[in-house]
Amino acid sequence: MAAGKNAAADILREKGFVILDADVMAHGVLEAKADKIIKLFAQEARSRGLELTDSQGKLNRKNLGRIVFQDPEKLSLLESIIHPALNAETEKLIAENPDRKFVINAALLHKMPLIKRCNLVLYIDAPALIRFIRVRKRDKLPFKRIAERFSAQKEIFTKCKNQNADIYRVGNSGTKKRLKNKIEAVLRVHTQKG
C-alpha cells in the first residue's frame, strides 16, 4: 500500500504495456457481488454499528474494510469471493488480446493463480514511514486503520518469491524519474536473461 504501484504502472504504460488494474477491477467485482458480501458481513456490521450500504444503496467499501482488515479470517472470506472472479476476468482479457503486453497492477498478485503466468514480477517497495505519509496525505486514514492495512499486506515479497516467479524488488523512496530508471534497468536485465 502506497509503495508506488500506480506510478510504476504509469511508467510501464508509457512503454506500451496494457495495464490491468486489479483495484479498479476488484471494485467492479465488489459491485457485482455486493448482495452476497452484504449478507455475509451483515451481522458483524450490525454488531459494530456499521452500515454496509451508502445512501444510494451501494456497498460501503470503507466500512467493509473496517471489518475485514481487522480480522484475517474475514479478509480471507472476502478474498475467496473476489479473487476467483478477478482472476477469471483478467484471464479473459489476456486471452482476447494475445498480441498485447500486459501488466497486472495488483498488491495481492501472490493470491491469484495468474502469478504463475507472469514472466516478471516487479515488487515496488518503499520504507514504511514514506508509505504512511503517502497514505495519510492521499486517503486521510487514521493511524490505526493504516496500521491494520499494512499488517494485512505484510510479507508480500516473500509470498511472491515463493511462487517461483522471476521477481525484482524495486525501491521507490525518491522521484518518479528515479523509479523509471530502476524499472528500465530491471527490464533490460530481464530481457537479457531471455
Side-chain angles (χ1 to χ4, degrees), residues 34-52:
D35 290 341
K36 181 177 184 176
I37 292 166
I38 290 167
K39 286 178 188 171
L40 207 58
F41 295 103
Q43 184 176 348
E44 177 70 19
R46 274 193 301 275
S47 73
R48 296 178 58 186
L50 298 172
E51 292 290 330
L52 284 180

Side-chain angles (χ1 to χ4, degrees), residues 132-149:
F132 176 82
I133 292 167
R134 289 174 183 166
V135 173
R136 285 287 293 171
K137 184 177 178 181
R138 181 187 74 196
D139 300 337
K140 315 261 189 290
L141 293 175
F143 177 80
K144 183 180 178 191
R145 300 242 330 265
I146 295 170
E148 289 167 357
R149 291 185 181 196

Side-chain angles (χ1 to χ4, degrees), residues 13 28-29 39-40 50 53 58 68 78 84 90 92 109 113 125 129 134 141 157 165 167 178 180 189 193:
R13 182 181 290 111
V29 172
K39 286 178 188 171
L40 207 58
L50 298 172
T53 56
K58 295 193 179 226
V68 300
L78 179 64
T90 305
K92 181 179 178 223
L109 181 63
D125 197 9
L129 180 60
R134 289 174 183 166
L141 293 175
F157 182 75
I167 182 168
R178 283 182 56 198
K180 181 178 181 179
V189 168
K193 286 172 90 175

Side-chain angles (χ1 to χ4, degrees), residues 95-148:
E96 289 173 349
N97 299 280
D99 298 331
R100 307 291 302 269
K101 299 183 299 182
F102 288 93
V103 168
I104 303 167
N105 180 359
L108 302 177
L109 181 63
H110 67 281
K111 294 186 176 188
M112 299 171 65
L114 272 171
I115 194 170
K116 297 192 183 322
R117 291 194 52 197
C118 294
N119 297 328
L120 170 67
V121 174
L122 294 177
Y123 180 83
I124 309 301
D125 197 9
L129 180 60
I130 290 174
R131 293 171 47 230
F132 176 82
I133 292 167
R134 289 174 183 166
V135 173
R136 285 287 293 171
K137 184 177 178 181
R138 181 187 74 196
D139 300 337
K140 315 261 189 290
L141 293 175
F143 177 80
K144 183 180 178 191
R145 300 242 330 265
I146 295 170
E148 289 167 357

Side-chain angles (χ1 to χ4, degrees), residues 50-69:
L50 298 172
E51 292 290 330
L52 284 180
T53 56
D54 63 18
S55 59
Q56 286 86 36
K58 295 193 179 226
L59 181 65
N60 184 321
R61 293 192 330 256
K62 286 186 179 184
N63 283 346
L64 178 64
R66 292 173 78 178
I67 293 169
V68 300
F69 288 119

